[in-house]
Amino acid sequence: MPHVHDKALRAAVWEYLNIPPREQDRTTAGVPLIDTEDSDQQAFHGLLVTCLMSTHRDPNPLGGPESSKFSSLFSYFNRMAMRPDRLEIQTNTACRIASRLLPLHHPEHAAISGIPGLRVLDVSSRRVLLIHLPTGARLDLIDSRSSPRWSTRDMQSELSHETSWHDKNGSRRLWAADGLSPQEAACTDLWAPRPCTPLRSALLMRAIPLWHEFGIQPAWRQPRPGESFPTLFWEKDEEEADVVKVAWLLTESPVKILEAAYESDGPQTGRLRLGDAQIRLHSQLCR
């Protein structure tokens, strides 16, 4: 019964991904849109997920000199939803999230922080619209504040306030320029297409239940000896999700990654596969 199945799937997307049925876009096949097939948007997602899935112990190099720009951003996210032409992240701190994602150059440390190539496309009363210049990918940060008195001017003022620290300690706002800076242009490897790009993009679109329902804060680590693929690692206590539960969400649940499979290598480790790409999942009890 297609109608019953469709209703159940839309309810599952609401349950797992926190997207109400009335706000779910559909694919050409008529099912809820979870993932993008656009390779450029996927490339941006692949970069974004490596930044957002980081911790103070396992920081992303783009986290800045203090390695603190990304490690707690997930706690501000309410939902992530794929639209036909953009990714939407709903949060109650849209301007603050933007201030952490926009790229800066730190000459003193010869480093970049934030997402190289990310720019502000526009600001409205509820949204900060961002575009990633190298890929053309779109990201809209939607502020969940619903006051009708909040105007576009208020949002612009809020963004100015939240980015006021961008000029401290000699930092330079790369996001204020129209084109890519030489420092950003040197980062092309970060969004270059790879076999693992669709898999990383799909992980991003299922990150909300990992963070909020399963209670884990994963981070990327370099490949193990003899492996060519990275590890998504997290420490957990007795109440948090282990690898088996995460693998179930990603490969068997109603919001599974289509055609993905999981191969266990032990009680708390295994390989998540999609086509020729694979990522190791590994959890460890907190000591």
Side-chain angles (χ1 to χ4, degrees):
M1 300 179 67
H3 176 70
V4 174
H5 175 74
D6 177 72
K7 185 176 180 180
L9 182 55
R10 292 172 75 81
V13 171
W14 189 7
E15 176 185 358
Y16 288 100
L17 305 183
N18 197 30
I19 308 172
R22 67 181 182 277
E23 297 181 24
Q24 296 173 20
D25 281 348
R26 297 192 181 206
T27 68
T28 54
V31 298
L33 176 64
I34 298 177
D35 296 299
T36 179
E37 296 183 1
D38 184 277
S39 59
D40 290 328
Q41 190 76 35
Q42 286 180 349
F44 174 67
H45 290 184
L47 169 56
L48 185 60
V49 76
T50 60
C51 294
L52 295 178
M53 291 186 175
S54 60
T55 65
H56 287 287
R57 289 185 58 180
D58 291 277
N60 185 284
L62 295 174
E66 298 179 359
S67 302
S68 60
K69 291 187 72 171
F70 300 135
S71 60
S72 63
L73 288 187
F74 74 93
S75 62
Y76 297 98
F77 294 175
N78 300 324
R79 75 173 63 122
M80 288 193 285
M82 194 64 227
R83 304 305 180 195
D85 62 344
R86 66 192 183 279
L87 170 65
E88 292 182 346
I89 297 179
Q90 187 177 96
T91 170
N92 58 359
T93 56
C95 292
R96 183 169 301 173
I97 299 302
S99 77
R100 297 295 187 270
L101 296 180
L102 291 168
L104 305 176
H105 182 223
H106 307 273
E108 181 180 348
H109 302 275
I112 289 180
S113 67
I115 307 293
L118 196 64
R119 298 292 188 270
V120 177
L121 185 63
D122 201 0
V123 177
S124 70
S125 61
R126 288 196 62 204
R127 296 178 183 243
V128 180
L129 290 73
L130 304 171
I131 185 169
H132 187 239
L133 295 181
T135 60
R138 284 282 309 279
L139 168 63
D140 284 12
L141 301 174
I142 305 176
D143 205 296
S144 57
R145 288 174 293 191
S146 58
S147 172
R149 298 181 180 180
W150 191 257
S151 67
T152 297
R153 180 173 294 182
D154 291 326
M155 198 69 157
Q156 292 170 333
S157 177
E158 181 79 3
L159 182 61
S160 179
H161 170 72
E162 289 290 353
T163 58
S164 60
W165 59 272
H166 283 195
D167 303 312
K168 293 181 179 179
N169 302 321
S171 299
R172 184 163 64 90
R173 302 183 182 211
L174 298 179
W175 60 273
D178 293 334
L180 287 184
S181 68
Q183 295 84 6
E184 293 173 297
C187 298
T188 55
D189 189 58
L190 295 176
W191 52 81
R194 290 186 175 84
C196 65
T197 297
L199 182 54
R200 291 196 184 201
S201 177
L203 273 171
L204 177 70
M205 300 313 302
R206 292 155 182 84
I208 290 294
L210 298 183
W211 287 322
H212 297 321
E213 300 301 323
F214 289 4
I216 65 173
Q217 188 176 357
W220 298 93
R221 289 186 173 177
Q222 294 300 313
R224 291 181 172 190
E227 294 182 343
S228 59
F229 48 90
T231 293
L232 191 62
F233 171 91
W234 65 95
E235 291 186 344
K236 72 182 194 70
D237 59 28
E238 296 291 347
E239 303 299 322
E240 295 168 336
D242 59 14
V243 162
V244 173
K245 189 172 182 179
V246 171
W248 175 85
L249 174 80
L250 299 176
T251 64
E252 299 183 48
S253 76
V255 295
K256 65 186 178 183
I257 302 171
L258 297 181
E259 301 184 4
Y262 178 72
E263 297 180 16
S264 175
D265 291 326
Q268 297 299 335
T269 190
R271 288 158 290 148
L272 179 67
R273 294 178 176 271
L274 181 64
D276 295 332
Q278 54 185 326
I279 291 169
R280 177 168 295 283
L281 304 178
H282 184 83
S283 65
Q284 179 177 308
L285 282 173
C286 298
R287 298 183 184 277

